[in-house]
Every structure is written in C-alpha cells, then in structure tokens.
Amino acid sequence: MVAAAVALAAMFAATPFLIPEVAARYGVSEGSAGLISVAQVASFALFSFVLPKFRSPSGRLLRVAAVVFLVANLLSVFMSIFWMLIGLRVVAGAAAGTITWIVWAEAMGDRRSMASISAAGPMTAFVGSPILAQFAERGDQWVYGFLTVIAIPAVVTKVGDIRTPVRTGRVSRSRSNRVLLFALFLLAMAGSSLFVFTATAAKQLIALSPTAISLGYSFNAAAGLLGARLATRHKRPGWWMASTGPAAVATILGGNAFWYFGGMIWWGFAFWMAVPGVLQMLSDRSLDPSERAGDAQAFMAMGRSFGPLVGGGFADGGAYASLAIVAGAGLAISGATVIGVQEGRHRLPPTPL
C-alpha cells in the first residue's frame, strides 16, 4: 500500500512541472495544459466515490489498478496528440482513485497506518521534486517515464491481506460529517488552484530559477512529512488548516525568495497537520472507521479537479496576484469551517448514527 501511495504522490507532485512543458510541446496555453490535472483528478474523484458503493477493497483490485496506472503513464510517454494525452490522464486518474480508496479504507482504521500513509505523499514529493524538475527541463516525456518507473514497485510487490469491512449500505446521518466533506473540498479546490501554477507564477513574478522553484516544492514536502508525523499529537486541525491561507498568499505576494520558501514550508506543514485530523473527525462520527474514506478522497479530488480550472482562468490572464488572494481566502475559510464543526460538536449532542 505504501508503494502504491508513493506512485500516486509522484503523479500529483509532477503536475506543476508538467504544465509548462505540456503547453510548449503541444502548442496550447498553460491554462489549457492544466487540463491534464483536471482530467486526472476528475476521474480520480469519480472512482474513489463510486467504487466503495459497489465493491469491497481487495488486494487483487489494488494490483489491477496499479497495472493500469503504470500502463497509462507508459503510453503518455509516446502520445503526440493533446486530447489523447488527456484521455490517458483520465485513465491514470481512475486507477489512482481506486488505489487511494483501498489504501485509505485500510489506513483509517488504525492511527499508525494513517500516519504512514499520510507521510508517503510529502516524503515522495520531497525526494521526487528535484528529480521531476530536472526531467521536466528535458520534456514531459521524461516525467511520464519517471512516473512509469516509480509505479513498478506497486505492481511487483506482493499484496498482503486487506481488511474488508462488511458493506451494510448504511451511512452515518451525521450532518457535521457532510460539512467536513465540504471543507475538504474547499481546501483542495483553493489550494490546487494556486499550487499547480505556483511554479509558473514564481518564475514570472519573483524571477526564481527552476532549481530554486523545485527546492520550494521539496521544502513544502519535507515540512509536510513532519506535519504528517506530528498530526496525531494535537486535536485542533481547523486552526492549522486556516493558517495555510496566509502561507499560500505569501508564496506569491511576498515578492522575494524568502517569502516564497517560508510560505511553501508552512503551507506543507500546516496542510498535513490538518488533514489527518479532519479524517479522524469524520471517522469519529461514522458507523465504520472507513465509511467516509472514499468520500473524503473523492471530495478532495473534486476540489483538485475544479481548482486548476479556476486557476487557469487567472493564469491565462497573468493575474497570479489575484489568484493568490482568492486561493488564500478559500483556504482560510475551509479551516474556519472545521473550527466551527469542532466547536459545535463540543457544545451539542452528537447526531444519531
């Protein structure tokens, strides 16, 4: 499961580096190139939301999804037609959504497993960002080749037993869980609207080199790794989530490398200090710990799907400063929503499960 989580994290970490290269090779705008992210996360959201309603997680399904993920990345290396590339990213996203649902369904029943899976994403981005930046300078085919190679361990590693919950068709009636799902959607939408274009914005507005930009993503991931490890030691995820708003704004509007690096570091740290806690809040008001695993990942994926569409409109007009303000406001509101839910739960009796 960790091998699969690493492969998926590499795909999402690659997106900011791929957008300018895809735009250049296929002769499309950077906003249009952002459709590779939209395609991936839209199918990701669909599969992680729908599959749990009809299937139970299994090792065999995990292996099949890993194979499909590898093949989609391999074919992307050789694709020369933009819209066919988008189709392949849809397939890759569907496989990624399946893998994510299975991984998190297993992890949400155990705090230690959740910490390990949470750490896989930032750890991969920390190690992979400099590599991805170097490959991206040679072209998007090199990046897709890297994603193919990094998926191999998930395909060849023996799959152990996966805890399979009994599907009763019942879902908790907790209204606060629905609000938390909205907060996760807003967090992902606001964050991705800026994050996938941060590399381009930093290059144009702050005149940072590709190496410096990639270091920012590495620092973001390293801080996220620390945050994921510490996330279970506090019980106030909303405040951490809200603080990602000012950090995101600072990366672009700070105007220099100091604020860029500082904003990226705090953004990564606070994000991963927050998300596992929100997932635990969902689990606390669910009939089964994994009940909302697919829903949570689906709502975040839908947010990551809409985010590049929103950000692309700003990016095509070169309005990166306005994008930073809008994204920062959305991140802060998502955190305030979680704070409100947590305070409400302390004051009111729980909704019957």
Side-chain angles (χ1 to χ4, degrees):
M1 290 193 299
V2 172
V6 165
L8 304 190
M11 180 183 75
F12 289 118
T15 301
F17 303 103
L18 277 169
I19 287 177
E21 301 304 322
V22 168
R25 186 160 80 94
Y26 290 93
V28 298
S29 70
E30 291 184 343
S32 296
L35 289 175
I36 62 172
S37 177
V38 175
Q40 287 173 170
V41 296
S43 57
F44 178 104
L46 178 64
F47 273 70
S48 59
F49 182 77
V50 172
L51 271 181
K53 308 298 188 291
F54 302 97
R55 294 290 302 271
S56 294
S58 68
R60 181 177 180 274
L61 186 58
L62 179 63
R63 174 66 61 79
V64 170
V67 171
V68 172
F69 181 78
L70 183 150
V71 172
N73 285 312
L74 179 61
L75 293 177
S76 296
V77 174
F78 305 102
M79 187 52 60
S80 60
I81 301 174
F82 180 67
W83 290 109
M84 293 186 71
L85 174 68
I86 296 299
L88 287 172
R89 303 327 298 165
V90 169
V91 174
T98 303
I99 293 170
T100 297
W101 156 57
I102 295 173
V103 167
W104 280 100
E106 178 74 3
M108 286 182 72
D110 186 334
R111 283 180 177 268
R112 288 180 299 177
S113 295
M114 185 180 292
S116 297
I117 297 302
S118 296
M123 177 187 68
T124 304
F126 171 64
V127 175
S129 289
I131 300 173
L132 289 165
Q134 293 298 317
F135 282 157
E137 290 184 359
R138 300 185 179 189
D140 62 298
Q141 299 104 317
W142 284 80
V143 177
Y144 288 125
F146 175 77
L147 295 180
T148 300
V149 172
I150 205 171
I152 292 175
V155 174
V156 301
T157 302
K158 181 179 179 181
V159 181
D161 293 334
I162 291 180
R163 178 180 60 88
T164 304
V166 177
R167 293 187 293 111
T168 64
R170 298 178 61 217
V171 178
S172 167
R173 290 184 290 162
S174 171
R175 291 186 294 271
S176 61
N177 269 3
R178 297 167 191 164
V179 177
L180 290 176
L181 290 174
F182 167 76
L184 289 174
F185 167 81
L186 182 59
L187 172 75
M189 182 177 70
S192 65
S193 70
L194 177 63
F195 196 78
V196 299
F197 295 106
T198 299
T200 305
K203 184 177 180 179
Q204 293 187 12
L205 298 185
I206 313 176
L208 293 181
S209 68
T211 300
I213 291 170
S214 68
L215 282 175
Y217 281 94
S218 292
F219 291 156
N220 173 275
L225 177 59
L226 178 61
R229 287 299 185 184
L230 297 177
T232 58
R233 301 186 183 184
H234 72 89
K235 297 183 179 180
R236 294 289 180 180
W239 292 98
W240 292 101
M241 188 181 290
S243 73
T244 60
V249 173
T251 61
I252 302 304
L253 297 189
N256 56 51
F258 174 82
W259 285 106
Y260 168 73
F261 287 124
M264 290 293 279
I265 289 169
W266 189 260
W267 192 353
F269 179 71
F271 178 91
W272 284 106
M273 283 288 280
V275 170
V278 178
L279 295 177
Q280 187 60 51
M281 289 174 66
L282 284 168
S283 180
D284 289 343
R285 294 294 175 92
S286 297
L287 299 176
D288 180 270
S290 66
E291 173 192 298
R292 291 292 190 177
D295 293 347
Q297 296 303 318
F299 271 77
M300 292 185 72
M302 284 189 287
R304 287 193 293 266
S305 177
F306 285 108
L309 289 176
V310 175
F314 287 92
D316 283 345
Y320 293 110
S322 298
L323 172 58
I325 293 172
V326 171
L331 290 168
I333 292 171
S334 69
T337 302
V338 174
I339 294 170
V341 169
Q342 194 164 38
E343 293 300 319
R345 285 184 175 182
H346 287 160
R347 297 175 185 175
L348 300 174
T351 301
L353 298 177

